Amino acid sequence: GAVVSQHPSRVICKSGTSVKIECRSLDFQATTMFWYRQFPKQSLMLMATSNEGSKATYEQGVEKDKFLINHASLTLSTLTVTSAHPEDSSFYICSARVSSGLQETQYFGPGTRLLVL
Amino acid sequence: GENVEQHPSTLSVQEGDSAVIKCTYSDSASNYFPWYKQELGKRPQLIIDIRSNVGEKKDQRIAVTLNKTAKHFSLHITETQPEDSAVYFCAASNTGQNFVFGPGTRLSVLP
């Protein structure tokens, strides 16, 4: 399958600081990437859809000014958690949409575990 | 919008037995149903998928069945092994639309 990388894998930061997470498609171009948040023992919660060259589409309840998404190239999307607080601590996972004709699927990055102190 | 339910939430089986996880979806327009396996602290890995133009797909010990009329699909794992222990997520989507994931099933294979 397609390879998606994510960096960093783990980050610990102080409350009030901003954290940037990168998601890269390594062997393909991804016009669409997705950002998910996952709490322990829970499912994947879609935060936003990141489209190359345009603004991200945020899910209801997700603050776009707090979770800044930039998809400046066909292989890179970034999520910046601004002014992070302890309640933002979570596992953040990106995925990339892979299309082949009418068929498409998603491949996930390895995730970033964020701990805000 | 689409709503996906998944049962059971936890499942324990003896090694060598079969495991079945069931999902239902609400949007009849959904046409793609992937299954992901997520080990603790790792990324979800696509293990098998099925599209609405087929009723069953098999890959070694893993199979998926789809009933479009009833709007449900199931994951079947035969001859389970300890390394099958993980959380399994089903999802449903329509072409070009976001995936909607089920809440997950925690499978434990007991040696």
Side-chain angles (χ1 to χ4, degrees):
Chain A
V3 179
V4 178
S5 72
Q6 201 170 327
H7 179 82
S9 59
R10 187 184 303 267
V11 59
I12 301 173
C13 69
K14 293 182 179 180
S15 185
T17 59
S18 294
V19 175
K20 179 186 282 189
I21 303 171
E22 294 185 348
C23 179
R24 293 181 185 273
S25 57
L26 297 186
D27 51 357
F28 66 100
Q29 293 182 331
T31 55
T32 304
M33 291 184 173
F34 304 91
W35 287 96
Y36 294 85
R37 185 173 180 176
Q38 188 177 34
F39 291 105
K41 298 185 179 181
Q42 293 192 22
S43 188
L44 299 153
M45 185 193 82
L46 179 65
M47 298 175 66
T49 302
S50 172
N51 298 299
E52 187 268 337
S54 64
K55 291 183 178 180
T57 303
Y58 289 82
E59 295 299 300
Q60 192 172 7
V62 178
E63 299 175 60
K64 62 179 181 181
D65 294 328
K66 180 168 183 61
F67 298 99
L68 301 178
I69 291 173
N70 184 283
H71 195 152
S73 78
L74 287 171
T75 59
L76 173 64
S77 175
T78 60
L79 168 68
T80 301
V81 183
T82 62
S83 186
H85 292 284
E87 56 266 30
D88 298 324
S89 299
S90 188
F91 192 50
Y92 293 87
I93 310 178
C94 69
S95 72
R97 175 182 283 162
V98 177
S99 299
S100 176
L102 292 178
Q103 298 188 348
E104 58 185 40
T105 191
Q106 287 186 31
Y107 290 96
F108 284 87
T112 297
R113 191 163 301 281
L114 171 63
L115 177 61
V116 184
L117 302 176
Chain B
E2 177 65 274
N3 181 52
V4 177
E5 296 185 354
Q6 186 172 345
H7 299 280
S9 58
T10 60
L11 178 60
S12 294
V13 299
Q14 289 295 134
E15 183 177 357
D17 288 350
S18 295
V20 180
I21 303 171
K22 298 181 180 180
C23 286
T24 61
Y25 61 100
S26 61
D27 188 352
S28 57
S30 290
N31 59 11
Y32 177 63
F33 309 92
W35 285 89
Y36 288 85
K37 173 184 179 183
Q38 187 179 28
E39 297 178 18
L40 188 62
K42 297 188 177 180
R43 79 181 83 195
Q45 296 268 21
L46 178 67
I47 57 171
I48 196 167
D49 56 12
I50 191 167
R51 301 185 190 276
S52 59
N53 56 345
V54 298
E56 184 175 356
K57 185 177 178 181
K58 190 174 182 180
D59 182 3
Q60 299 182 333
R61 296 187 297 108
I62 296 174
V64 57
T65 58
L66 171 65
N67 184 325
K68 288 174 56 180
T69 303
K71 294 205 283 286
H72 66 70
F73 56 111
S74 299
L75 177 71
H76 304 252
I77 306 174
T78 58
E79 301 173 28
T80 54
Q81 301 168 2
E83 50 265 37
D84 294 329
S85 296
V87 178
Y88 292 80
F89 293 100
C90 64
S93 77
N94 195 355
T95 303
Q97 301 299 310
N98 297 332
F99 284 20
V100 177
F101 286 89
T105 295
R106 186 171 300 276
L107 173 64
S108 299
V109 180
L110 308 174

